[in-house]
Amino acid sequence: MLKKITALLLCLALMLPCFAVSASAADYAKEMMDTRYKLRYEPVCEMLMEDSETLKKVEKLDKKVVFISVSDGKQQAKTVWGTSKKLETALERAFTKARATNMTPLWFKLDVVTKIEEKSYADFKTDYTNGVGGSMRKGIAFNDYFGRAVLEAQVNSNGWLSYETGELDLAAINKHFRKTGKKQLSEIPETLYLFDTQGYFKDYSSEAYKLTTGKYSQAGRREYEMDKDDLVKLAGYSSEYLADMIDENGKFVYGYYPIDNEELEDYNIIRHAGTVWNLILQYEMTKDRSLLAPIERALDYLQKSFHYKDGTTAFLNDRGTLNVGGNGISLLAFVSYTEITGSTKYIHLIRSAANGILYMQKENGGFIHTLYKSNYQVHKDYITVFYDGEAMYGILRAYGLLKDKRYLAAAERAGDYFIENNYETLNSHWIAYGFNELTKYSPQERYFNFGLKNMHGYSEKLTRVVTGAHTVNETANASFELYHRLMESGIKCGMLEEFDEEMLFKAIDKRVNYGMNYFMQPEQAMYFKDPQLVLHSFAMREDKFRIRIDDIQHFMGGYYLYWKNYDIIKSYTAE
């Protein structure tokens, strides 16, 4: 017996250092986590305490309410809140709860309530019935003491509000409360307490941000100057996101509905073509050579989607039909790659695709939009103005590279057809691209006149549109290029007398800045189920925050043109 006790004591003695090391490691880990939290919390608190405008709003409220959201960048943010009559106490309470989540605080966001308004649930539903998706800009408290409350970012990123009926999803909200240890609601209360917040954000970088507030800036976002440096930075983020969506075969992940992590499966090869073209333009902006490998995979995938009628005439095969717009937009990708890299590997395809557009052009200058692959008979004579503009722009880009006069002549016939048929009333971005390109090689008054008409009157509308409308930035910036070329040329143009130059620059400024409300930065991405799925994409908040490759293409297409002409635009606006 004594031997057994002695052996046990010896065993315990030997294990004590292990316990000591283990305890020491645990203490160290806790200390490191405490430090991480303080390094995020203290800068945003300091920023709040220096924000006199916000503090004035907070002081007017009887109850001080603050929210803290933390995410490790991989998991959906955990959001806690603290309330008190004193702001400092509310902050301390929220921070204590945040630290207790033990979530590694890669992203740390502080929101302080600046305004509270009482609203009946009936009126709330009326406000948002048939509303614009994602347009709810306020948090919701389900009682006046904020025992249960959610931020606007949580409502939208979880899909808790139906913008068709204006109703809140009680089951989903209760699931959230149950998960976070809050008492569930038996029903949505008859009275809601809607609130505004001012947000501050800190990540692993040395900088903390005061976030913007207002319509279509999801619970606040950081601001950019949108100068050339910021535009290149934006292209860096966006191009990395797109490149990561290209698989080993060169095919993109087409897109997502991130509220439910639903992948979009209806692949569109024409949008593939437009997206790889835009990725090439972003490579031009960033000079990031790591983009070349995924770009080349995507181009090879696109090349395999071409169907040859003969040795020199080819068409993009779009699910069994041959599409004139697909030929045009594919030419943008292959020509841009050739010009930027100097490679000649796609020259034969470029010539064959341009010849395919010639094959589909009618005697009057218009285009047959789709053919049957089996017999080259007309499938659909007309589908959308987009295909017309893509075909015109694409064949002009082929002309710029190959100097085949047939391509310029075809574009001129198309331009005359569009003029005769009043295409300017459609305000198409692809038509704007096409006429801008046409005036490079055929600077005739009628083409300048049409290009200005395509934008005239539309500029004012673009200063008022309150949705993403991503293609309009392309329309405005392509129209500016045409306008600038006209001013430099000295060609007389009747439309110039009534064209509103100032409104064009207002439209460009509005769309450049407004588009950033759709760019998903960490302070927005952190609220979705899978933040990495969303981070540095462009999400169409009007359609359940849809992310799709062509959405990114069009947003960045406008930003590319703005970057390209930035100095010229600023010289005009300075005057």
Side-chain angles (χ1 to χ4, degrees):
M1 183 69 179
L2 183 59
K3 287 183 179 180
K4 288 183 179 180
I5 294 173
T6 304
L8 179 60
L9 291 173
L10 179 60
C11 229
L12 290 171
L14 290 171
M15 291 173 65
L16 280 175
C18 296
F19 284 131
V21 170
S22 177
S24 176
D27 290 342
Y28 177 74
K30 180 180 182 302
E31 184 179 336
M32 288 300 295
M33 186 69 83
D34 288 340
T35 300
R36 288 193 185 99
Y37 268 85
K38 288 178 182 178
L39 287 174
R40 307 291 190 270
Y41 175 67
E42 290 173 357
V44 294
C45 272
E46 182 178 349
M47 188 167 278
L48 166 60
M49 293 308 174
E50 292 176 353
D51 186 355
S52 58
E53 182 180 351
T54 296
L55 291 177
K56 286 179 183 177
K57 295 177 182 177
V58 173
E59 281 303 311
K60 292 178 181 178
L61 302 175
D62 293 334
K63 183 186 298 294
K64 319 308 181 202
V65 185
V66 298
F67 292 79
I68 292 178
S69 303
V70 293
S71 171
D72 60 4
K74 297 178 181 179
Q75 300 177 71
Q76 187 173 39
K78 292 184 179 180
T79 301
V80 299
W81 64 93
T83 63
S84 175
K85 290 186 177 181
K86 293 183 178 180
L87 178 59
E88 291 79 3
T89 305
L91 285 165
E92 290 171 5
R93 288 173 177 171
F95 180 69
T96 299
K97 292 178 183 178
R99 178 62 189 87
T101 67
N102 216 33
M103 171 83 81
T104 301
L106 179 68
W107 300 330
F108 189 100
K109 183 163 169 280
L110 168 67
D111 282 282
V112 58
V113 173
T114 56
K115 181 181 178 181
I116 303 171
E117 61 176 310
E118 192 174 315
K119 175 159 290 208
S120 72
Y121 185 37
D123 286 346
F124 177 90
K125 286 188 287 188
T126 299
D127 289 346
Y128 292 104
T129 297
N130 297 321
V132 176
S135 60
M136 209 266 296
R137 310 308 313 135
K138 296 177 182 293
I140 305 171
F142 295 99
N143 46 48
D144 61 354
Y145 55 89
F146 277 74
R148 285 162 290 180
V150 289
L151 291 170
E152 172 267 341
Q154 294 174 284
V155 173
N156 280 315
S157 61
N158 287 292
W160 290 339
L161 170 61
S162 166
Y163 287 95
E164 295 177 355
T165 65
E167 294 182 337
L168 292 165
D169 188 335
L170 176 63
I173 293 171
N174 271 337
K175 182 179 178 181
H176 166 73
F177 285 144
R178 186 166 61 249
K179 185 178 177 181
T180 55
K182 297 294 179 184
K183 185 179 178 181
Q184 297 179 57
L185 300 166
S186 58
E187 60 181 358
I188 301 296
E190 292 183 3
T191 302
L192 301 176
Y193 298 86
L194 306 184
F195 58 90
D196 298 334
T197 66
Q198 174 58 59
Y200 308 86
F201 181 81
K202 181 78 175 68
D203 57 16
Y204 56 86
S205 70
S206 60
E207 190 173 3
Y209 300 95
K210 178 182 177 180
L211 304 175
T212 64
T213 57
K215 199 167 188 178
Y216 285 86
S217 52
Q218 175 175 327
R221 64 166 176 86
R222 71 191 72 183
E223 281 194 283
Y224 284 102
E225 294 294 327
M226 299 311 290
D227 56 18
K228 292 182 81 171
D229 289 341
D230 280 345
L231 292 164
V232 171
K233 185 187 299 183
L234 177 63
Y237 288 136
S238 174
S239 60
E240 182 179 7
Y241 185 89
L242 283 178
D244 285 345
M245 293 181 82
I246 301 173
D247 68 18
E248 289 304 309
N249 297 316
K251 185 178 180 181
F252 287 93
V253 175
Y254 188 44
Y256 302 98
Y257 277 111
I259 290 175
D260 296 315
N261 288 353
E262 176 189 349
E263 184 173 336
L264 305 180
E265 297 180 354
D266 188 19
Y267 204 73
N268 186 307
I269 192 63
I270 299 175
R271 289 169 176 164
H272 173 110
T275 305
V276 69
W277 167 55
N278 183 256
L279 189 53
I280 293 165
L281 300 183
Q282 293 187 61
Y283 166 71
E284 183 184 346
M285 295 174 72
T286 64
K287 305 296 189 295
D288 180 359
R289 295 191 63 81
S290 71
L291 297 174
L292 287 176
I295 284 172
E296 288 162 359
R297 292 200 306 275
L299 287 174
D300 287 343
Y301 183 92
L302 179 61
Q303 179 179 223
K304 292 172 185 174
S305 299
F306 269 83
H307 169 78
Y308 278 81
K309 180 179 183 295
D310 52 48
T312 58
T313 308
F315 307 93
L316 185 67
N317 179 10
D318 177 25
R319 290 168 286 195
T321 61
L322 310 179
N323 189 298
V324 73
N327 271 37
I329 203 166
S330 295
L331 282 169
L332 302 180
F334 290 118
V335 170
S336 294
Y337 176 82
T338 301
E339 291 176 341
I340 290 171
T341 66
S343 170
T344 59
K345 67 182 290 188
Y346 296 116
I347 291 294
H348 178 69
L349 176 57
I350 290 169
R351 192 180 303 277
S352 300
N355 290 341
I357 293 176
L358 292 182
Y359 184 88
M360 297 179 77
Q361 188 169 37
K362 297 182 285 189
E363 288 186 9
N364 63 9
F367 296 103
I368 298 166
H369 282 193
T370 54
L371 302 173
Y372 286 105
K373 175 175 171 284
S374 57
N375 57 15
Y376 307 104
Q377 296 299 306
V378 175
H379 172 250
K380 289 188 177 179
D381 188 65
Y382 182 87
I383 298 175
T384 172
V385 65
F386 295 162
Y387 293 163
D388 286 325
E390 289 164 349
M392 178 190 191
Y393 187 28
I395 204 167
L396 280 164
R397 296 287 281 120
Y399 170 75
L401 181 69
L402 302 176
K403 302 305 179 188
D404 186 327
K405 292 181 180 179
R406 295 178 302 158
Y407 302 158
L408 178 57
E412 289 177 328
R413 289 197 303 275
D416 292 338
Y417 176 81
F418 300 156
I419 291 169
E420 183 180 346
N421 287 275
N422 303 312
Y423 271 40
E424 76 278 2
T425 60
L426 303 175
N427 306 120
S428 165
H429 59 292
W430 286 119
I431 294 294
Y433 271 123
F435 273 83
N436 176 42
E437 196 72 13
L438 181 58
T439 56
K440 290 180 182 178
Y441 306 114
S442 185
Q444 301 183 55
E445 180 186 1
R446 67 183 186 275
Y447 299 142
F448 282 115
N449 198 62
F450 177 91
L452 294 182
K453 278 185 177 181
N454 190 54
M455 193 67 201
H456 183 65
Y458 194 46
S459 296
E460 194 274 334
K461 179 181 179 181
L462 298 192
T463 64
R464 294 183 283 104
V465 173
V466 293
T467 59
H470 45 18
T471 61
V472 298
N473 201 2
E474 296 174 286
T475 308
N477 279 280
S479 298
F480 166 75
E481 274 197 10
L482 179 142
Y483 170 79
H484 174 62
R485 186 173 301 110
L486 174 61
M487 298 299 288
E488 292 286 293
S489 71
I491 294 172
K492 291 184 178 180
C493 176
M495 186 65 199
L496 191 60
E497 293 183 9
E498 57 182 294
F499 185 72
D500 192 337
E501 172 196 277
E502 184 178 348
M503 191 60 69
L504 171 62
F505 291 120
K506 286 182 179 179
I508 290 173
D509 182 70
K510 172 67 178 285
R511 302 325 304 180
V512 163
N513 286 285
Y514 203 78
M516 289 301 291
N517 291 327
Y518 295 77
F519 181 62
M520 296 289 102
Q521 298 173 102
E523 56 268 27
Q524 297 153 306
M526 67 191 296
Y527 291 100
F528 287 87
K529 284 186 173 70
D530 184 350
Q532 290 300 314
L533 202 70
V534 178
L535 181 65
H536 296 151
S537 69
F538 284 89
M540 297 301 294
R541 59 185 308 129
E542 293 85 9
D543 186 15
K544 301 176 183 177
F545 291 86
R546 181 193 74 212
I547 300 165
R548 206 169 65 194
I549 56 174
D550 59 307
D551 296 331
I552 300 171
Q553 169 206 330
H554 288 300
F555 274 114
M556 286 307 302
Y559 287 123
Y560 168 80
L561 289 175
Y562 186 64
W563 167 81
K564 180 182 173 186
N565 296 304
Y566 182 84
D567 293 332
I568 302 172
I569 291 172
K570 291 302 178 183
S571 71
Y572 274 88
T573 54
E575 293 173 7

